[in-house]
Amino acid sequence: MINKVERLVSIGKFRNYQATGQVNFQKLTLIYGDNGGGKTTLTSVLRSLTTNNPAIVRSRISTNHIAPQAAQLTQIGTPNIFHTFGAAGWTTPFADIEIFDIHFVNDNIYSGFDFNDEHKKQLHQFVIGAQGIAIQNQIEQNKASKVISKQNQANIEQQLFQQVGNNLTTDLITSFLAIPPAHATGIDQQITIAEAALASANANSIIQTLQTLSSLTRITSGIDFTSLVTDLQTTSQSIQNTALETLFSKHCQDLADNSLAGPENWLQRGFAYVESKQTANEPTIFCPFCKQSIDSNVDILDAYISKFNANFNALVQRLQTHFTSLQNFNLDAAIQTINNINQTNTGRIASWATHLPNAVQPPTFNIIPDEAVLRAEFQSLISLVQQKIQNPTVEVATATATVFQASGQAINTNIDSYNQSVTAYNTAIATFRSGIQTVANAFLEVERLKRIKKRFAVPIITLCTQLAAERQTLRGLETAYTQLSLQQQTAATTFFNSYQTRINHYLGAVFKTLFRIDDVVHVAPQGRATQSKIAYKLTIDGKDISFAPNQPFSAKECLSEGDKSTIALAFFLSKLDIDTNRQNKILIFDDPLSSLDTNRRTYTIGIIKALFQQMKQVVVLSHNEYFLHEIGKDFGAAIKKTLRITENFAAKASVIEECDLDNLVKIDYFKHIEALEAFRTNPDHSIKDTVLGWLRNVLESHLRFKFYKEIRLMTVQKTFGNLISFLNTSGVAFRDNGNRATIIANLNLINGVSWKQHHGDPNPDYTTLGMNPNTITAPELDNLIQDTLNLIEVQL
């Protein structure tokens, strides 16, 4: 329990308060004070203490303060615990203090007509209590830790972005961390290939304009080398043989058809004989078989000569044809065509060389080993044919022809091989073209490979390890957050179900209002928010009240100040009802009656009295002494303490001191009777005018109480003199009715003597009255006091 407020310095109106006298708190402590005197300041000090929030005290620095702020409260213990406030804040917080005041209302329920999310967040913490706040604090710490973890990750990622480069982005960072070491094997070669592909992609517009290689056309001379070689070897003898073979074939067939055996032998021996004779130049030649004369006119000879001449002429014609073919064959043009194509291809190859992979080899040009030799061979062949034409029947060497023929065949073989290489090269070009990527894709591939290379550099490995660890930390925090949220949801659901029931109990059964609370639920923090909040719906007579302005049934239109105070008090009290630790709580009420009507004040008094039995300590501060007196009147001095915050208006400073609450609420009638009795014991004639006023007030009040029913019939103003006249003339019975005249006389005397003190005007005739207040003696004044007491106690 709170034992005492020992010291308050430079805090609001408490400029230099030091506890003096019996100002210790009890289980029930009632503190009276005028508005503006320091009640709220004292409550704020207690709030600062229990929440360990020094800012609350510092915000209440005294105006024109001289000394530094300081405070000290003691808590009952063995020994007592001192809670001291200084520049560093509180030395020791004081837990388990629940405070209901205007700040609780503004922070947790509403401000003006504003019921906003911030109120609902604060109310959530208030309702869920210490256990719930512990979970909430863990949730907030969890979120704060996640923010730090995410920031750490962002910092590490930023370092990676800067050091790795190569278009490493947030979207790629996860896959970057997961790159296996095996992917870095041969990475330099892969990068080289990818960079070549990127170069190709960049040059694609040029590549598409480059031409493929041209094939060579085989050399076709038009020369029939087989026929040419044969004709070059042809002689007159061979022509004769051919002619004879023709004749022999026909004559032999005739002889055979006519039953001559071995006609070939016969003809061969006969022609040999004739040929021999001709060689000998014999003038007359006879057939060796029939001895007939043989001359040039013989039919068979004519046929032979004719056949020989025909074959000779054909030979000459063929030789001329061969010569014509040789003349028509432009060897230089053929060579030039080959060289032109080679030159063209060489230029194209040079263009392709900067683009094609190194593995693509260009064709090797080696078609004609020696053009001069080839030309010489060709010229030799022409000369040979010309020689043959000049002497057709003389055989010439065929080597020149076969050499040139072989050279041509070798060239065509080389052309075929070259063309195969050209085809392969062009196929590689086609494959290369079809494989060219877009610049964007090729660039991404280069960047990807370079990132792989960077991934396993020592500084990057360190950063990746740190990032992976930070991500693991974040995953752990997220798992913990889920569990904490579930714990909070479970605890809050239990709390809020009971909370709604208790609120509606107070709003309906206790305070007799038409307001109700519905749909009280826990709302977990969303997005970047860290605090949970309580959501609820307020209704009046079953109609939803809107917290938005300018809406039907808006809070502004439906709630009076008293309604809002009642709702706030219901929220507060309901929390206490569901708090299983309330027996260890200290309850502070600072002016809980704000804007409450008489009925609700009465209900509140009963509630506080009931709470006294359930709480460790109850402290009530109020500017309404009657409210405080009503709370404390049934409690004895052993468990009750009444204090007062008194302001010294000259010094503009307040102090806490003892207060007699019973006397504070005592009506003037009893106060003045006690004052008269005390005056008789310790008279002070210097205050005689005051004493005369007490006499008048006591008697006038007594008449009003005693004869309440009778004086209701009065039609004139109920002044003391009029009251006496009415009683004298109305025949009202007195207890000592036999001394009625004396009673009236004494009343008139006191009325006359006290007139000046009451009205400030010496209207009575003191000579006639028989007593002058200005010259009244002490015995006369004491007699008047005795008469007054006798009147109220005996006679009236």
Side-chain angles (χ1 to χ4, degrees):
M1 292 197 307
I2 299 171
N3 177 55
K4 187 190 297 184
V5 179
E6 301 282 356
R7 182 161 55 107
L8 297 172
V9 179
S10 297
I11 304 174
K13 291 289 182 68
F14 297 99
R15 297 184 178 276
N16 189 23
Y17 167 71
Q18 305 289 332
T20 58
Q22 296 301 314
V23 290
N24 298 65
F25 285 30
Q26 290 290 353
K27 180 172 182 179
L28 176 63
T29 301
L30 306 172
I31 303 176
Y32 170 75
D34 294 328
N35 287 331
K39 297 190 305 301
T40 301
T41 297
L42 179 58
T43 305
S44 295
V45 170
L46 294 172
R47 174 174 280 105
S48 171
L49 174 60
T50 193
T51 59
N52 196 24
N53 183 359
I56 297 176
V57 172
R58 294 194 179 107
S59 67
R60 289 187 167 269
I61 186 83
S62 300
T63 58
N64 301 316
H65 66 283
I66 299 175
Q69 280 189 315
Q72 188 175 72
L73 289 85
T74 52
Q75 178 182 355
I76 293 177
T78 308
N80 285 347
I81 301 170
F82 287 82
H83 301 273
T84 304
F85 180 88
W90 291 100
T91 55
T92 306
F94 194 151
D96 294 328
I97 298 178
E98 299 287 0
I99 301 173
F100 180 82
D101 63 353
I102 188 61
H103 293 292
F104 168 83
V105 175
N106 288 336
D107 291 343
N108 298 279
I109 313 299
Y110 65 85
S111 298
F113 291 99
D114 188 16
F115 294 71
N116 59 39
D117 275 357
E118 201 58 39
H119 292 134
K120 294 174 182 178
K121 290 177 183 178
Q122 297 297 325
L123 181 61
H124 184 280
Q125 287 201 341
F126 171 71
V127 174
I128 60 178
Q131 179 185 2
I133 290 176
I135 297 175
Q136 178 64 38
N137 289 340
Q138 292 181 62
I139 289 175
E140 292 181 12
Q141 181 58 52
N142 180 281
K143 280 211 161 188
S145 297
K146 286 193 290 186
V147 169
I148 293 172
S149 179
K150 289 176 181 178
Q151 185 59 53
N152 290 341
Q153 290 186 47
N155 292 337
I156 297 172
E157 289 176 2
Q158 193 60 40
Q159 294 180 62
L160 285 172
F161 297 154
Q162 293 173 353
Q163 297 184 35
V164 174
N166 298 302
N167 204 30
L168 179 63
T169 62
T170 303
D171 293 338
L172 299 174
I173 199 70
T174 299
S175 60
F176 180 75
L177 294 177
I179 295 173
H183 285 191
T185 303
I187 193 64
D188 289 331
Q189 182 181 358
Q190 295 180 56
I191 290 173
T192 300
I193 294 172
E195 287 177 335
L198 176 59
S200 298
N202 286 321
N204 192 31
S205 59
I206 296 175
I207 290 173
Q208 296 304 325
T209 65
L210 298 180
Q211 294 179 310
T212 57
L213 303 188
S214 299
S215 296
L216 296 175
T217 303
R218 291 170 61 91
I219 294 178
T220 303
S221 64
I223 302 170
D224 186 350
F225 282 96
T226 302
S227 174
L228 175 61
V229 170
T230 300
D231 289 342
L232 291 176
Q233 293 175 332
T234 300
T235 62
S236 58
Q237 184 60 51
S238 64
I239 294 173
Q240 290 176 13
N241 291 339
T242 300
L244 286 174
E245 285 176 1
T246 302
L247 291 175
F248 282 172
S249 65
K250 292 181 179 180
H251 196 51
C252 284
Q253 184 65 42
D254 179 63
L255 293 175
D257 290 343
N258 291 290
S259 303
L260 180 64
E264 292 88 353
N265 293 328
W266 283 94
L267 289 174
Q268 288 177 354
R269 287 196 296 271
F271 273 108
Y273 174 78
V274 172
E275 186 177 26
S276 176
K277 289 295 185 176
Q278 286 178 337
T279 303
N281 292 320
E282 290 186 14
T284 304
I285 302 172
F286 297 96
C287 174
F289 303 112
C290 66
K291 300 302 185 177
Q292 290 185 25
S293 174
I294 299 173
D295 57 29
S296 58
N297 294 321
V298 177
D299 289 339
I300 190 170
L301 293 177
D302 288 341
Y304 167 74
I305 292 168
S306 175
K307 184 63 177 175
F308 178 87
N309 291 337
N311 287 344
F312 179 81
N313 290 335
L315 173 61
V316 172
Q317 183 62 44
R318 288 198 303 276
L319 290 172
Q320 190 60 49
T321 299
H322 291 317
F323 183 72
T324 300
S325 296
L326 288 172
Q327 285 183 321
N328 288 339
F329 175 50
N330 191 339
L331 178 60
D332 288 335
I335 293 173
Q336 186 61 46
T337 299
I338 290 173
N339 288 336
N340 288 344
I341 292 176
N342 176 50
Q343 185 176 2
T344 300
N345 284 351
T346 299
R348 293 176 181 176
I349 289 171
S351 298
W352 280 111
T354 59
H355 304 294
L356 291 175
N358 294 332
V360 178
Q361 295 298 314
T364 301
F365 185 80
N366 187 18
I367 306 302
I368 302 174
D370 193 327
E371 294 179 8
V373 171
L374 182 63
R375 287 188 177 93
E377 290 175 354
F378 183 58
Q379 290 301 322
S380 296
L381 181 58
I382 292 174
S383 298
L384 183 66
V385 173
Q386 286 177 328
Q387 179 185 347
K388 180 66 175 178
I389 290 173
Q390 291 173 0
N391 195 358
T393 59
V394 178
E395 180 181 4
V396 296
T398 61
T400 300
T402 56
V403 167
F404 184 73
Q405 180 185 18
S407 294
Q409 290 174 342
I411 289 171
N412 281 337
T413 298
N414 290 339
I415 288 174
D416 291 342
S417 177
Y418 179 82
N419 285 344
Q420 288 177 0
S421 297
V422 167
T423 300
Y425 194 79
N426 287 342
T427 300
I429 288 174
T431 301
F432 172 70
R433 275 177 169 165
S434 65
I436 294 176
Q437 307 173 54
T438 64
V439 173
N441 288 342
F443 179 76
L444 289 176
E445 180 62 10
V446 171
E447 299 286 86
R448 185 184 72 84
L449 294 172
K450 287 183 176 180
R451 289 195 299 270
I452 291 175
K453 181 177 180 178
K454 286 287 188 70
R455 170 64 178 83
F456 297 100
V458 174
I460 304 304
I461 290 175
T462 301
L463 289 173
C464 288
T465 302
Q466 292 173 353
L467 181 57
E470 200 62 60
R471 287 189 166 191
Q472 182 63 36
T473 298
L474 182 60
R475 284 192 290 271
L477 288 170
E478 288 171 342
T479 299
Y481 178 80
T482 301
Q483 295 171 347
L484 288 170
S485 296
L486 181 60
Q487 291 178 34
Q488 187 184 56
Q489 178 68 49
T490 301
T493 299
T494 302
F495 270 114
F496 292 161
N497 287 342
S498 300
Y499 190 51
Q500 176 175 326
T501 301
R502 295 308 300 167
I503 290 173
N504 288 330
H505 164 74
Y506 282 108
L507 291 177
V510 176
F511 293 120
K512 308 295 190 297
T513 75
L514 296 177
F515 300 108
R516 297 293 182 273
I517 294 291
D518 290 328
D519 302 335
V520 178
V521 294
H522 160 81
V523 180
Q526 305 294 321
R528 294 180 178 273
T530 60
Q531 279 188 273
S532 300
K533 64 181 180 181
I534 184 172
Y536 60 87
K537 181 171 64 175
L538 179 63
T539 67
I540 178 171
D541 201 17
K543 301 289 186 180
D544 290 356
I545 293 177
S546 172
F547 296 132
N550 304 321
Q551 295 294 321
F553 295 102
S554 69
K556 184 176 182 180
E557 301 300 331
C558 294
L559 301 178
S560 67
E561 286 300 319
D563 292 334
K564 289 188 290 182
S565 296
T566 301
I567 292 170
L569 186 57
F571 275 49
F572 182 83
L573 295 172
S574 299
K575 159 58 170 56
L576 298 180
D577 286 354
I578 64 175
D579 190 343
T580 56
N581 191 42
R582 60 181 173 273
Q583 73 276 4
N584 295 318
K585 294 291 184 71
I586 296 172
L587 178 59
I588 310 293
F589 277 112
D590 180 13
D591 265 337
L593 298 183
S594 176
S595 302
L596 296 185
D597 58 28
T598 301
N599 288 332
R600 293 177 185 176
R601 290 183 184 187
T602 302
Y603 303 146
T604 303
I605 291 169
I607 292 167
I608 294 175
K609 285 185 173 183
L611 285 172
F612 174 81
Q613 306 299 330
Q614 305 172 37
M615 313 294 288
K616 177 178 284 189
Q617 187 177 32
V618 176
V619 179
V620 185
L621 302 93
S622 178
H623 67 281
N624 190 322
E625 64 271 35
Y626 299 101
F627 168 69
L628 294 174
H629 183 265
E630 193 65 27
I631 293 173
K633 69 180 182 180
D634 295 327
F635 296 96
I639 57 174
K640 179 180 71 173
K641 187 69 175 182
T642 57
L643 301 172
R644 178 171 186 165
I645 297 175
T646 303
E647 181 177 0
N648 181 330
F649 292 99
K652 299 180 181 178
S654 294
V655 296
I656 302 172
E657 57 189 13
E658 288 186 271
C659 174
D660 183 351
L661 198 58
D662 291 335
N663 187 63
L664 194 63
V665 299
K666 193 177 295 181
I667 62 175
D668 288 344
Y669 175 76
F670 296 114
K671 287 182 180 180
H672 292 163
I673 290 175
E674 292 174 356
L676 292 172
E677 291 173 341
F679 183 83
R680 292 198 68 211
T681 304
N682 298 294
D684 180 3
H685 201 67
S686 64
I687 62 169
K688 62 180 179 61
D689 291 341
T690 301
V691 174
L692 291 173
W694 292 343
L695 295 175
R696 184 182 187 89
N697 291 339
V698 167
L699 287 171
E700 184 175 348
S701 296
H702 187 80
L703 294 178
R704 290 178 181 274
F705 294 146
K706 177 70 176 178
F707 303 106
Y708 168 73
K709 291 183 178 180
E710 290 81 356
I711 64 176
R712 286 186 299 177
L713 300 176
M714 290 178 63
T715 58
V716 297
Q717 187 178 1
K718 298 180 179 63
T719 63
F720 187 27
N722 289 338
L723 287 173
I724 296 171
S725 298
F726 175 78
L727 293 175
N728 184 35
T729 59
S730 63
V732 174
F734 302 141
R735 280 185 291 177
D736 187 9
N737 206 41
N739 292 315
R740 185 179 186 83
T742 303
I743 292 173
I744 295 299
N746 287 337
L747 288 173
N748 283 324
L749 174 62
I750 295 171
N751 177 43
V753 172
S754 64
W755 181 277
K756 179 180 179 181
Q757 288 68 32
H758 187 72
H759 296 283
D761 179 14
N763 188 53
D765 181 356
Y766 295 128
T767 301
T768 303
L769 191 60
M771 187 177 291
N772 188 331
N774 297 316
T775 59
I776 192 171
T777 65
E780 288 176 330
L781 183 58
D782 184 65
N783 288 335
L784 288 177
I785 293 173
Q786 291 185 61
D787 288 344
T788 299
L789 294 176
N790 188 53
L791 283 169
I792 63 174
E793 293 171 3
V794 179
Q795 294 180 313
L796 289 172

